[in-house]
Amino acid sequence: MDIRVLPGDFEGPLAALGSGSFCVAVGGISVRFEGLPDGLLTAALERYGPFLSDDPPAHTVRLFEGDEHYLDMAEDKFLRLEEERLPEGRTLVSHSFAAFRPDQQPERGVLLLHSATPVDTAQGALENYLRWVVADLALDRCGFVLHAAGLVRGGRGYVFFGPSGAGKSTLTAMSVAMDPGCGILSDDLVLVTHRGSTIEVASTPFAGTLPQSDKKPGAYLLVGLYRLKQAPHNALRPVEPLAMATAMVLTCCPFVADASARRDRLMPLVESCCAAVPVQELSFLKDPGFWDIL
Amino acid sequence: MFEDGKYKRNPDVSWRTIEGQAVLIHNRNSEVIVVNEVGTLIWEQFDEGLESILRNIQDTFEVSRADAESDAREFLEQLISAGALLPR
């Protein structure tokens, strides 16, 4: 049976899980995790290696002892992740963890995790919390997370998005094989941010198919935004009108449920990004020759 | 079947008009719809009622009443099917 959590469940006294801490940066947004037990800290440091940061955190979340489970597992074993908007703040709940971010103190959060939770599962809790808080912190900074592959060539950023199977991972692998100087931002999720009159794309530490060590942390000027389409030849076609381009990009912005307030903030950001960096459809024959037409 | 006054815009649909075209996104299923200029007028002015919408379509796009009503009703049924409109 699902356990519904309320803000009172995140108030003291709560039992500490540990005393470890680390800070991870996503495109200049630093999030600090505190109260980690030793095993989870070791695993997190290894997982987020290139993205560890000493910068002052924009958000700090503290871990405490929680219940063994909160939401029942889905019948198909697919991850259940449910966000709820309460008068006092937001909760994010899954099978193994529950988290709360109060409106009164948005720079702080609480994550409840049972001490017997396996390290792999606990890492998943940290990852989901990080994705959740970064989505909102990015919006606060005129940015958004995008399900896409990101590459850097000549110091400039290129983003390739599309449905599963469109070729993002293949394109990434081929590009790096063709040009060792080509840097990978991610093969799964990138952070796109407005910086004055320009748009930047940054690497993210979120788990994809690539090891973290293959990624190139940092933010780069975004010069190309491409929707992938598999085809028997390489070709480029502008996506018009702007409404269609915006809609295409919006379909690749990941969200948790009940995100209407977030979407209302997201839509103008995506629109202005697509206006500044026009979206093009890249018909893509799986060979690296497509770089010649970008 | 659409009946004037019996439906409301789904509060779970976020939307924005971009260069005269409305982009609707359903916050529960993430479905995105791009609507043409006529549909954008209908969506934006939905709360004003069907009669007002039809007059504005006729005036803006210089079409007959019959064509305006036929197109509007077809579009409104599509919005219902997509979950963008809900019964009051």
Side-chain angles (χ1 to χ4, degrees), chain A residues 172-201:
Chain A
T172 300
M174 284 196 317
S175 298
V176 173
M178 174 194 76
D179 176 8
C182 180
I184 302 172
L185 298 175
S186 178
D187 67 334
D188 185 45
L189 288 168
V190 296
L191 175 65
V192 178
T193 308
H194 292 63
R195 294 260 190 255
S197 60
T198 62
I199 310 291
E200 286 186 346
V201 58

Side-chain angles (χ1 to χ4, degrees), chain A residues 29-91:
Chain A
I29 300 171
S30 290
V31 177
R32 182 176 175 83
F33 289 82
E34 295 180 339
L36 277 72
D38 291 344
L40 180 57
L41 177 64
T42 301
L45 292 176
E46 183 176 341
R47 180 179 185 134
Y48 294 116
F51 296 89
L52 295 175
S53 169
D54 293 324
D55 291 341
H59 181 86
T60 299
V61 54
R62 188 157 190 89
L63 275 65
F64 293 98
E65 179 80 46
D67 291 336
E68 282 192 51
H69 87 269
Y70 292 92
L71 299 182
D72 286 343
M73 293 288 284
E75 286 186 6
D76 58 1
K77 305 299 182 191
F78 198 75
L79 175 69
R80 285 183 68 194
L81 199 59
E82 296 184 4
E83 182 181 30
E84 186 173 3
R85 187 70 177 91
L86 300 171
E88 302 89 342
R90 291 179 181 269
T91 62

Side-chain angles (χ1 to χ4, degrees), chain A residues 241-244 246-248 250-251 253 255-261 263-264 267-269 271, chain B residues 11-19 21-34:
Chain A
L242 181 59
M244 182 59 71
T246 303
M248 278 188 177
L250 280 169
T251 60
C253 293
F255 279 98
V256 294
D258 190 23
S260 56
R263 287 234 167 99
D264 290 342
M267 293 181 83
L269 290 176
E271 177 192 345
Chain B
D12 266 343
V13 170
S14 295
W15 64 279
R16 181 173 177 84
T17 300
I18 299 172
E19 295 181 342
Q21 289 187 286
V23 177
L24 281 57
I25 182 164
H26 197 298
N27 294 319
R28 295 284 173 183
N29 62 27
S30 298
E31 185 175 336
V32 180
I33 303 170
V34 180

Side-chain angles (χ1 to χ4, degrees), chain A residues 33-285:
Chain A
F33 289 82
E34 295 180 339
L36 277 72
D38 291 344
L40 180 57
L41 177 64
T42 301
L45 292 176
E46 183 176 341
R47 180 179 185 134
Y48 294 116
F51 296 89
L52 295 175
S53 169
D54 293 324
D55 291 341
H59 181 86
T60 299
V61 54
R62 188 157 190 89
L63 275 65
F64 293 98
E65 179 80 46
D67 291 336
E68 282 192 51
H69 87 269
Y70 292 92
L71 299 182
D72 286 343
M73 293 288 284
E75 286 186 6
D76 58 1
K77 305 299 182 191
F78 198 75
L79 175 69
R80 285 183 68 194
L81 199 59
E82 296 184 4
E83 182 181 30
E84 186 173 3
R85 187 70 177 91
L86 300 171
E88 302 89 342
R90 291 179 181 269
T91 62
L92 182 70
V93 187
S94 187
H95 175 72
S96 61
F97 76 89
F100 178 61
R101 287 158 51 203
D103 288 340
Q104 293 294 332
Q105 249 190 326
E107 70 280 8
R108 307 285 300 188
V110 175
L111 178 61
L112 302 180
L113 197 60
H114 195 267
S115 53
T117 302
V119 170
D120 284 354
T121 305
Q123 279 195 305
L126 300 187
E127 175 89 347
N128 280 299
Y129 187 95
L130 184 62
R131 292 186 183 213
W132 183 46
V133 73
V134 165
D136 285 332
L137 291 175
L139 285 174
D140 292 343
R141 291 156 176 75
C142 298
F144 56 92
V145 178
L146 184 64
H147 184 54
L151 297 172
V152 179
R153 287 191 86 197
R156 306 199 304 174
Y158 299 81
V159 168
F160 305 89
F161 66 96
S164 294
K168 295 187 290 295
S169 295
T170 302
L171 178 150
T172 300
M174 284 196 317
S175 298
V176 173
M178 174 194 76
D179 176 8
C182 180
I184 302 172
L185 298 175
S186 178
D187 67 334
D188 185 45
L189 288 168
V190 296
L191 175 65
V192 178
T193 308
H194 292 63
R195 294 260 190 255
S197 60
T198 62
I199 310 291
E200 286 186 346
V201 58
S203 181
T204 71
F206 305 129
T209 61
L210 294 175
Q212 301 285 38
S213 56
D214 284 359
K215 296 180 184 177
K216 188 180 179 72
Y220 302 86
L221 179 69
L222 179 64
V223 298
L225 197 51
Y226 306 97
R227 185 179 190 275
L228 286 179
K229 174 185 173 184
Q230 290 192 31
H233 56 271
N234 294 323
L236 209 52
R237 180 185 71 87
V239 176
E240 293 169 333
L242 181 59
M244 182 59 71
T246 303
M248 278 188 177
V249 175
L250 280 169
T251 60
C252 293
C253 293
F255 279 98
V256 294
D258 190 23
S260 56
R262 200 175 283 137
R263 287 234 167 99
D264 290 342
R265 299 172 66 192
L266 174 69
M267 293 181 83
L269 290 176
V270 173
E271 177 192 345
S272 61
C273 174
C274 294
V277 184
V279 178
Q280 300 184 82
E281 183 179 81
L282 174 60
S283 294
F284 169 54
L285 174 64

